[in-house]
């Protein structure tokens, strides 16, 4: 690094606009938009960002031990090659259309609309609370992600999640190529309208989970309090420990479980012969016919 910004409070718009090869230490950016816009090759430590748009169109940025305060919203957009470690972010709408993002030991206290349309994201030991996390992002790897918020990963592609705890309504919708290992997922309506979803050694609780999916694998998973599962799912390969409360109208595949409380089949909507149910205990089989005599 050729120069340092150290122990300073910088105010005003574009306070350090376009800086390159700079180390920023123990400083504060306050009361001024876009302080490090178009910056490049910058290492930041112990620094506070208290106002909007600090890192737009930036490249090769390393941030450690720093804080983005509430008014530092929409902080990192259109940037690439970003490494954040031991950082707290109290503002929403962070990381939009960024490439090659690594976040380690990062806490998002307000993660609404964060990590949208990013490509090449690594999350390790990240805590986040907020809705619409990681929408339309691709090529993501997450390890020990603690996420509490609705509608996460909507529209995502090529996502791998390990050792995580995910609490959400409508998670993994409109996704493609997702694998989740050794994780706990609590929510509703998991995985609708998606393709190629795989869950391995997971504990999952849902209402009407795993519907409208083409290519669903559940390997050695537990489905707690899960009802009306697999509706209009094709190419299902499900190996479930314990009970599924109810299964409704799967299109094709194999479903294995210790117990199914109710199996609901509407032969006007699906061909039951295309799905193999391997279960020693089925509490009830309902031969449902939808919309019968509806217009009579």
């Amino acid at each position: 690094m050729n120069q340092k910004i150290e122990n300073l409070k910088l105010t005003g718009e574009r306070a350090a606009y376009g800086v390159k090869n700079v180390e920023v230490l123990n400083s504060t950016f306050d009361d001024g938009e876009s302080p490090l816009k178009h910056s490049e090759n910058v290492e930041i430590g112990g620094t506070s960002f208290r106002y909007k748009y600090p890192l737009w169109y930036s490249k090769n940025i390393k941030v450690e031990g720093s804080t983005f305060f509430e008014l530092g919203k929409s902080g990192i957009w259109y940037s690439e090659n970003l490494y954040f470690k031991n950082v707290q972010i109290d503002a929403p709408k962070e990381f939009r259309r960024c490439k090659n993002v690594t976040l380690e030991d990062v806490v998002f206290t307000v993660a609404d609309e964060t990590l949208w349309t990013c490509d090449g994201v690594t999350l390790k030991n990240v805590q986040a609370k907020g809705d619409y996390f990681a929408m339309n992002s691709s090529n993501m790897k997450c390890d020990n992600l603690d996420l509490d918020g609705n509608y996460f990963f909507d529209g995502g592609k090529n996502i791998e999640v390990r050792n995580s705890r995910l609490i959400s309504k409508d998670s993994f919708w409109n996704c493609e190529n997702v694998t989740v290992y050794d994780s706990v997922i609590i929510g509703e309506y998991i995985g609708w309208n998606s393709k190629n979803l795989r869950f391995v050694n997971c504990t999952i609780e849902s209402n009407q989970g795993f519907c409208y999916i083409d290519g669903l694998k559940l390997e050695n998973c537990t489905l707690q309090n899960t009802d009306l599962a697999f509706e209009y799912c094709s190419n299902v390969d499900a190996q479930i420990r314990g009970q599924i409360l109810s299964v409704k109208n799967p299109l094709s595949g194999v479903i294995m479980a210790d117990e199914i409380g109710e199996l609901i089949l509407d032969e006007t909507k699906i061909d039951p012969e295309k799905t193999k149910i391997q279960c020693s205990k089925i509490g009830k089989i309902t031969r449902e016919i939808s919309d019968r005599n509806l217009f009579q």
Side-chain angles (χ1 to χ4, degrees):
M1 294 295 166
N2 295 331
Q3 56 180 311
K4 287 185 179 181
I5 297 172
E6 189 170 7
N7 299 318
L8 294 178
K9 181 177 181 179
L10 296 97
T11 60
E13 188 169 353
R14 299 188 177 190
Y17 177 86
V19 296
K20 295 182 179 181
N21 306 313
V22 171
E23 191 173 5
V24 180
L25 298 174
N26 305 318
S27 294
T28 298
F29 291 95
D30 196 5
D31 194 21
E33 296 181 2
S34 307
L36 287 166
K37 188 176 182 181
H38 282 289
S39 56
E40 189 172 344
N41 302 328
V42 179
E43 294 186 5
I44 299 167
T47 291
S48 298
F49 295 89
R50 295 183 175 271
Y51 210 62
K52 296 181 284 187
Y53 323 139
L55 289 162
W56 279 42
Y57 304 104
S58 296
K59 294 181 180 179
N60 307 327
I61 306 297
K62 182 178 181 180
V63 182
E64 294 195 48
S66 297
T67 304
F68 291 73
F69 285 86
E70 184 178 0
L71 290 180
K73 63 184 179 180
S74 306
I76 308 101
W77 288 26
Y78 307 106
S79 295
E80 59 183 273
N81 302 332
L82 309 172
Y83 177 76
F84 282 52
K85 182 177 175 62
N86 191 26
V87 173
Q88 179 163 320
I89 300 176
D90 297 332
K93 302 182 180 180
E94 303 289 11
F95 300 99
R96 293 279 187 94
R97 298 186 180 276
C98 293
K99 294 182 179 180
N100 302 326
V101 179
T102 298
L103 308 178
E104 185 174 352
D105 301 318
V106 171
V107 176
F108 293 93
T109 60
V110 185
D112 296 330
E113 302 179 27
T114 288
L115 279 168
W116 277 20
T117 321
C118 293
D119 183 21
V121 178
T122 299
L123 306 181
K124 185 175 182 180
N125 305 329
V126 169
Q127 298 178 45
K129 185 176 178 63
D131 294 341
Y132 292 104
F133 187 84
M135 185 174 180
N136 294 326
S137 286
S138 58
N139 302 310
M140 297 187 67
K141 290 190 174 182
C142 311
D143 190 2
N144 194 27
L145 171 63
D146 190 341
L147 178 57
D148 184 353
N150 297 321
Y151 323 115
F152 60 69
F153 296 114
D154 191 350
K157 291 184 178 180
N158 306 326
I159 297 169
E160 180 182 291
V161 179
R162 294 180 180 271
N163 309 308
S164 295
R165 177 178 175 269
L166 311 174
I167 300 176
S168 173
K169 179 180 179 179
D170 298 1
S171 58
F172 297 113
W173 276 44
N174 310 302
C175 285
E176 187 172 347
N177 302 331
V178 173
T179 304
V180 182
Y181 299 93
D182 305 303
S183 296
V184 174
I185 304 171
I186 301 173
E188 304 176 12
Y189 316 119
I190 296 171
W192 285 31
N193 311 311
S194 292
K195 184 175 181 180
N196 299 333
L197 303 188
R198 181 182 177 216
F199 298 83
V200 182
N201 301 326
C202 292
T203 298
I204 302 165
E205 182 174 348
S206 72
N207 175 37
Q208 298 183 49
F210 309 110
C211 300
Y212 306 98
I213 300 170
D214 180 12
L216 171 65
K217 294 193 72 173
L218 293 159
E219 302 174 32
N220 195 37
C221 290
T222 299
L223 299 185
Q224 297 179 342
N225 302 316
T226 294
D227 63 348
L228 304 174
F230 311 127
E231 186 172 22
Y232 300 128
C233 272
S234 57
N235 302 308
V236 179
D237 182 1
Q239 304 167 29
I240 307 304
R241 301 190 308 268
Q243 184 193 53
I244 309 171
L245 290 181
S246 59
V247 171
K248 183 174 182 178
N249 286 342
L251 290 176
S252 64
V254 179
I255 298 170
M256 302 172 61
D258 296 326
E259 181 179 352
I260 296 174
E262 183 178 12
L263 177 60
I264 304 166
L265 302 172
D266 181 351
E267 296 185 16
T268 69
K269 304 295 184 185
I270 62 154
D271 180 357
E273 298 299 320
K274 291 185 177 180
T275 303
K276 186 175 183 180
I277 307 293
Q278 297 182 356
C279 180
S280 59
K281 185 178 179 181
I282 299 177
K284 179 181 179 183
I285 298 177
T286 302
R287 300 288 180 177
E288 183 181 77
I289 299 178
S290 299
D291 305 326
R292 178 164 36 187
N293 300 323
L294 184 64
F295 298 106
Q296 294 182 5

